[in-house]
Amino acid sequence: MNGTMDEASALQRNYKEVLDRIAAACRAADRPPGSVSLLAVSKTFGADRVAALAAAGQRSFGENYVQEAVAKITALRNERPDLRLEWHFIGPIQSNKTRLIAEHFDWVQSIDRERIAERLSEQRAADRPPLQVCVQVNVSGEASKSGCAPADVIALARRIVSLPRLVLRGVMAIPEPSEDVAIQRGQAARVRGVFDDLRAAGLAVDTISNGMSADIESAIAEGSTMVRVGTALFGRRARVDD
Ligand SMILES: *Cc1c(COP(=O)(O)O)cnc(C)c1O
């Protein structure tokens, strides 16, 4: 980002560009505008950046790190209750972090095993709406450690449906990054295939969370209903592990 450029206007310009990319990808795929929602991934960026994007009209934000997210969510709830933000947890989940996640988030997209689903359901407060959740599926095989194997998704999904404080919404995937559009499309098609399997098994799912800054178009071409975008909105992250 150009150091002299006003940060708020850069963010607004990026936001418009991302919304335009989503709209163009929907047109190219003959899908209705509005059939794909945008999750703004704000990990490593401060509450001020979230508030600035919310001022431009964005409501849903994704976070990967529990401690960082809880501080941000709490600050924004206290200082800007008017914003009514929706928070999605999209990072790896350790068992000892499920309580904080259940307390602070609206959605959890990265459930990859039953134990995590069970704890989240147990720990979700009775006076909050149920957690909206996705099963994270690994469509990249050995290349990726995170996510449930495609063959195990239906069993995990059925377990989630049996839990009182969770609502199963669909699947989430983080395919191995590739600049090759054919590879991007192939992986996105596998995510769609897992979603179709859930529907065929009689599960009422409506969400395919797939596509990030580099592969928004491929993901939408293959049926994604939610893209999770960080870099294209907020710029490059300072931390390299993200
Ligand atoms: C960081 C992250 C994103 C956003 O990636 P960008 O390439 O910055 O758009 C999306 N999903 C998950 C799970 C992430 O960890």
Side-chain angles (χ1 to χ4, degrees):
M1 191 185 298
N2 183 332
T4 62
M5 188 186 285
D6 174 53
E7 278 199 347
S9 68
L11 189 58
Q12 282 199 10
R13 183 204 58 203
N14 290 350
Y15 186 44
K16 185 181 181 308
E17 276 175 13
V18 168
L19 293 178
D20 286 348
R21 279 177 70 187
I22 293 170
C26 285
R27 275 195 303 278
D30 248 327
R31 298 180 53 190
S35 59
V36 178
S37 64
L38 171 63
L39 182 69
V41 178
S42 45
K43 64 184 174 199
T44 79
F45 293 97
D48 59 322
R49 305 276 73 205
V50 172
L53 193 57
Q58 178 66 21
R59 284 287 163 271
S60 302
F61 290 85
E63 290 282 339
N64 290 51
Y65 308 102
V66 178
Q67 246 74 18
E68 175 196 337
V70 167
K72 218 178 288 183
I73 293 169
T74 306
L76 283 160
R77 279 201 181 122
N78 291 337
E79 289 156 30
R80 298 296 309 273
D82 55 305
L83 291 178
R84 303 193 164 280
L85 303 178
E86 181 181 88
W87 292 99
H88 294 229
F89 192 77
I90 60 174
I93 306 178
Q94 295 167 299
S95 299
N96 62 355
K97 296 288 167 58
T98 53
R99 182 173 299 280
L100 279 172
I101 294 171
E103 280 172 3
H104 289 90
F105 284 83
D106 304 294
W107 282 61
V108 181
Q109 299 198 9
S110 42
I111 295 181
D112 61 356
R113 55 199 192 275
E114 292 193 3
R115 184 76 193 114
I116 296 298
E118 289 158 1
R119 289 177 65 93
L120 288 169
S121 182
E122 278 160 26
Q123 293 166 344
R124 181 64 165 181
D127 63 351
R128 299 284 308 278
L131 274 172
Q132 309 296 302
V133 308
C134 293
V135 171
Q136 183 178 345
V137 57
N138 174 4
V139 292
S140 306
E142 307 254 296
S144 168
K145 282 177 304 215
S146 57
C148 171
D152 300 331
V153 169
I154 289 181
L156 176 54
R158 287 199 200 287
R159 180 67 185 127
I160 288 171
V161 167
S162 78
L163 294 169
R165 304 296 294 141
L166 305 185
V167 173
L168 179 68
R169 297 298 298 270
V171 293
M172 182 275 248
I174 313 172
E176 267 305 288
S178 169
E179 285 172 11
D180 183 331
V181 170
I183 292 174
Q184 293 176 357
R185 292 275 300 251
Q187 299 201 97
R190 283 208 285 287
V191 183
R192 169 63 179 269
V194 172
F195 174 84
D196 289 344
D197 290 346
L198 288 176
R199 281 224 168 145
L203 294 154
V205 285
D206 63 6
T207 300
I208 302 174
S209 171
N210 188 41
M212 320 205 306
S213 295
D215 64 347
I216 289 174
E217 288 78 10
S218 295
I220 291 175
E222 298 293 344
S224 173
T225 68
M226 187 186 297
V227 290
R228 309 177 309 267
V229 178
T231 309
L233 289 170
F234 295 105
R236 296 242 305 276
R237 289 178 289 275
R239 291 210 307 259
V240 290
D241 58 331
D242 303 304

